[in-house]
Amino acid sequence: MGITEVDPIKYKLLFFRFINPERISYPDIDVDICMDRRSEVIEYTLQKYGHEKVAQIITFGTMKAKMAIKDVGRVLSIPLAKVNEIAKLVPEDPNMTLEKALEIDPDLLKMYETDEEAKRLLDLGKKVEGSIRNTGIHAAGLIICGEVLTDHIPLCVAKDTSMLVTQFSMKPVESVGMLKVDFLGLKTLTSIQKTVDAIKESQNLDIDWVNLSLNDSNTFELLNQGKTLGVFQ
């Protein structure tokens, strides 16, 4: 089909995503490309489909436990040193909540029970914790539509890109039927390209990396030793 250079039938590779009846989510398209030239692929996509039919995907950053303490402390004009002292007592864990921190850290609990200012700070922190604090842009995902995007989903603009950005995050944007395409810029592919270029320059050898031998004994020897650092996937 030309989706990949590898012939799946020859190697008995199944496109599991398409034949698994239990997989109800929409298929998306992942394109792995050299990191250095990712911007060219995006520019091509914009030119081919039109700026009004292509958008980047928004992400929402939520307020974590430590950030809630710092933000509330700033609003209440509590001295920064004290705010930092309270925030340091919250254990380092991406899933940590203020409620959980009070349960597992005796020093934080003591401060909560004996210091009125700290208690107010933590009580307000619990209320704002988990709310959306800021927006960002999905590292790889783009939405491509056959029609003008504003006929289907709300859009916005972001300060650090000239492209349109969806107002729906990744899961909702897929659930309303939009096609997500991931342009993944990979260092490994860039490394391979630079290696091919270097061999061409130093030895004047053209390496066709699509049609390399799959029976090379030296390659298998390396794989058998587990020397796979930097090997793509």
Side-chain angles (χ1 to χ4, degrees):
M1 292 173 72
I3 293 174
T4 167
E5 299 286 359
V6 178
D7 179 358
I9 295 169
K10 179 179 175 183
Y11 300 109
K12 298 182 174 61
L13 299 170
L14 300 176
F15 281 110
F16 182 68
R17 180 94 182 240
F18 295 100
I19 63 171
N20 178 9
E22 293 176 3
R23 185 96 189 222
I24 56 170
S25 60
Y26 279 104
D28 60 358
I29 296 173
D30 287 349
V31 187
D32 300 324
I33 44 185
C34 164
M35 192 175 66
D36 289 348
R37 301 187 66 190
R38 181 173 178 268
S39 58
E40 292 176 46
V41 178
I42 292 172
E43 187 54 42
Y44 167 82
T45 307
L46 288 168
Q47 297 302 324
K48 182 171 178 63
Y49 298 104
H51 283 254
E52 71 286 356
K53 296 177 183 177
V54 180
Q56 289 176 294
I57 302 170
I58 204 167
T59 57
F60 296 109
T62 54
M63 204 179 284
K64 303 289 185 191
K66 284 179 185 279
M67 188 56 72
I69 290 172
K70 291 179 178 179
D71 280 357
V72 172
R74 190 170 63 250
V75 172
L76 295 179
S77 300
I78 296 171
L80 184 61
K82 184 172 183 178
V83 173
N84 287 340
E85 183 190 347
I86 296 168
K88 271 181 191 167
L89 294 173
V90 176
E92 294 288 350
D93 179 347
N95 299 316
M96 183 56 58
T97 64
L98 292 176
E99 199 68 59
K100 204 194 294 184
L102 284 165
E103 287 173 15
I104 61 179
D105 193 291
D107 294 334
L108 186 64
L109 182 62
K110 186 181 176 186
M111 189 177 274
Y112 179 78
E113 290 171 341
T114 58
D115 186 326
E116 193 59 42
E117 193 173 46
K119 182 179 187 305
R120 187 175 178 224
L121 170 63
L122 289 163
D123 282 342
L124 287 169
K126 283 188 219 172
K127 289 182 179 179
V128 298
E129 185 182 21
S131 57
I132 290 171
R133 185 176 190 273
N134 58 293
T135 61
I137 291 173
H138 190 282
L142 259 68
I143 293 298
I144 302 177
C145 187
E147 299 161 1
V148 176
L149 275 165
T150 45
D151 291 347
H152 299 276
I153 54 170
L155 301 176
C156 60
V157 289
K159 63 177 183 292
D160 50 356
T161 176
S162 59
M163 282 180 67
L164 295 168
V165 181
T166 66
Q167 286 189 41
F168 292 160
S169 58
M170 188 171 71
K171 293 296 178 201
V173 94
E174 285 183 325
S175 67
V176 296
M178 295 289 103
L179 174 71
K180 181 169 77 74
V181 180
D182 277 343
F183 290 134
L184 301 154
L186 299 176
K187 289 179 187 173
T188 41
L189 292 181
T190 306
S191 297
I192 291 170
Q193 188 59 59
K194 286 184 174 175
T195 304
V196 169
D197 294 343
I199 291 169
K200 170 70 178 169
E201 195 175 318
S202 63
Q203 299 179 41
N204 200 30
L205 271 176
D206 285 308
I207 293 180
D208 178 7
W209 58 341
V210 172
N211 295 307
L212 289 175
S213 164
L214 297 181
N215 304 310
D216 184 73
S217 57
N218 291 332
T219 304
F220 278 107
E221 182 60 35
L222 275 178
L223 293 173
N224 287 333
Q225 292 172 45
K227 293 182 178 177
T228 55
L229 190 67
V231 175
F232 174 47
Q233 293 189 347

